């Protein structure tokens, strides 16, 4: 029998906006796609993309692109049912910008994404006995590109787009937690911190918390679920943007908000776990 080990918390990270800056990649591809499928008539600003994301249901950038295209034509008096918008064609165009035109040799925006954390930060968590992993709405290929090729991680624990429904559905978070428990042999009541940069990420923790209570012992109702918000770089350009975004994350249920994920140190994790709910 494997003996359980004690730890402060399990920490699960989102990737986009937390591990890498996607302001010039995913969001740029999103704007390109909307512009393409509105025939050059409309290109959403970063603020307009944020406004959509703050609705808490557009974590998938392909679906967000489609939604903005629909909303543009609706504002011009057309109904969605009148539009011949092919989602698969839209996705292919998005990917041609994000990954590049050759699916086997990526040359697109993904190649220039700045990293927001260093491997030494994850090593710091490991040294403190804090298991960590990733749950992201990015495709597995895109997520592994940054985790394995850019950060040099070896077989990181990852739940990606192909593995679970999109956020704020907590299915993927539950899967990540279960896998971390099996790898690290920690007690099933160990607190869980999910670190994300969008309202949908924060809502994921809220839904996980409510399901753990309603479904009883199968999800360990005594476990603490803690949401931590990270301000993505593009909202930190002005104090007004920063404050508005932080307030939205707080309103969604974030227990703490940081400007960079590496500010979530073992000391901060201890404070979060020990703070009253």
């Amino acid at each position: 029998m494997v003996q359980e080990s004690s730890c402060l918390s399990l920490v699960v990270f989102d990737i986009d906006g937390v591990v890498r800056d996607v302001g010039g990649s995913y969001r740029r591809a999103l704007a390109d796609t909307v512009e393409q499928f509105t025939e050059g008539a409309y290109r959403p600003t970063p603020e307009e993309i944020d406004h959509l994301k703050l609705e808490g249901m557009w974590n998938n950038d392909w679906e967000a692109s489609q939604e903005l295209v629909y909303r543009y034509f609706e504002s011009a008096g057309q109904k969605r049912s009148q539009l011949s918008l092919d989602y698969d064609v839209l996705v292919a165009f998005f990917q041609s910008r994000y990954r590049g035109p050759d699916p086997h040799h990526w040359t697109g925006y993904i190649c220039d994404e700045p990293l927001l954390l260093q491997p030494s930060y994850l090593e710091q968590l490991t040294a403190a006995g804090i298991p960590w992993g990733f749950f992201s709405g990015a495709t597995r290929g895109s997520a592994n590109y940054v985790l394995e090729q850019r950060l040099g991680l070896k077989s990181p624990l990852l739940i990606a787009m192909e593995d679970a429904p999109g956020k704020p559905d907590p299915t993927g978070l539950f899967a990540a937690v279960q896998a971390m428990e099996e790898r690290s042999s920690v007690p099933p009541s160990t607190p869980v911190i999910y670190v994300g940069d969008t309202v949908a990420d924060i809502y994921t923790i809220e839904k996980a918390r409510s399901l753990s209570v309603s479904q009883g012992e199968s999800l360990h109702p005594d476990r603490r679920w803690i949401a931590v918000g990270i301000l993505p770089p593009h909202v930190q350009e002005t104090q007004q943007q920063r404050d508005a975004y932080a307030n939205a994350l707080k309103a969604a249920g974030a227990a703490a908000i940081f400007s960079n994920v590496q500010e979530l140190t073992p000391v901060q994790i201890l404070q979060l776990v020990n703070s009253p709910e």
Side-chain angles (χ1 to χ4, degrees):
M1 181 176 179
V2 178
Q3 184 176 2
E4 292 180 343
S5 60
S6 61
C7 70
L8 288 177
S9 175
L10 303 175
V11 180
V12 185
F13 298 99
D14 182 30
I15 293 177
D16 301 333
V18 176
V19 176
R20 60 182 171 190
D21 180 1
V22 296
S25 56
Y26 265 125
R27 285 171 173 262
R28 183 180 175 189
L30 190 161
D32 287 354
T33 302
V34 175
E35 185 174 40
Q36 172 72 13
F37 286 87
T38 58
E39 299 178 346
Y42 171 54
R43 183 179 182 87
T45 65
E47 291 75 19
E48 288 170 328
I49 295 172
D50 281 340
H51 184 75
L52 181 74
K53 294 278 188 178
L54 290 175
E55 293 179 10
M57 58 195 328
W58 304 107
N59 190 67
N60 183 313
D61 284 329
W62 301 338
E63 294 176 355
S65 301
Q66 177 181 246
E67 181 64 18
L68 286 175
V69 172
Y70 277 140
R71 292 188 186 187
Y72 167 76
F73 283 109
E74 284 179 332
S75 70
Q78 297 188 51
K79 295 181 179 180
R80 297 188 183 207
S81 58
Q82 297 175 312
L83 302 175
S84 57
L85 183 59
D86 188 318
Y87 182 70
D88 290 337
V89 173
L90 181 147
V91 170
F93 179 85
F94 185 107
Q95 294 295 77
S96 74
R97 291 296 191 268
Y98 181 64
R99 291 185 176 183
D102 183 350
H104 305 293
H105 179 61
W106 294 2
T107 56
Y109 302 153
I110 189 174
C111 300
D112 300 318
E113 293 171 332
L115 295 177
L116 300 175
L117 65 73
Q118 297 300 318
S120 57
Y121 166 69
L122 299 174
E123 293 166 3
Q124 180 185 14
L125 297 185
T126 299
I130 300 171
W132 46 269
F134 303 91
F135 166 42
S136 171
T139 64
R140 179 163 288 275
S142 170
N144 274 331
Y145 180 86
V146 66
L147 297 180
E148 296 184 350
Q149 295 191 41
R150 299 286 307 283
L151 287 173
L153 304 181
K154 305 299 182 184
S155 301
L157 192 155
L158 168 66
I159 303 298
M161 176 192 286
E162 297 89 339
D163 306 316
K167 293 176 279 188
D169 188 308
T171 302
L173 180 60
F174 291 147
V177 169
Q178 181 179 1
M180 294 169 74
E181 288 175 339
E182 293 171 355
R183 281 193 181 189
S184 305
S185 301
V186 298
S189 59
T190 302
V192 173
I193 294 176
Y194 185 49
V195 188
D197 71 311
T198 67
V199 167
D201 294 329
I202 308 304
Y203 283 169
T204 301
I205 276 286
E206 295 295 308
K207 289 183 177 293
R209 185 182 298 122
S210 62
L211 279 175
S212 68
V213 172
S214 64
Q215 295 188 19
E217 289 300 320
S218 63
L219 289 175
H220 311 293
D222 55 341
R223 186 198 296 274
R224 286 197 66 188
W225 299 88
I226 303 168
V228 168
I230 303 298
L231 298 176
H234 76 274
V235 305
Q236 299 189 50
E237 294 176 358
T238 69
Q239 191 65 42
Q240 182 180 8
Q241 284 180 291
R242 179 190 179 92
D243 291 346
Y245 203 93
N247 289 337
L249 294 180
K250 287 179 183 177
I257 296 172
F258 299 102
S259 298
N260 178 271
V261 64
Q262 295 178 131
E263 296 172 12
L264 181 65
T265 62
V267 171
Q268 291 286 352
I269 291 170
L270 177 63
Q271 292 178 357
L272 284 168
V273 169
N274 290 335
S275 65
E277 294 191 56

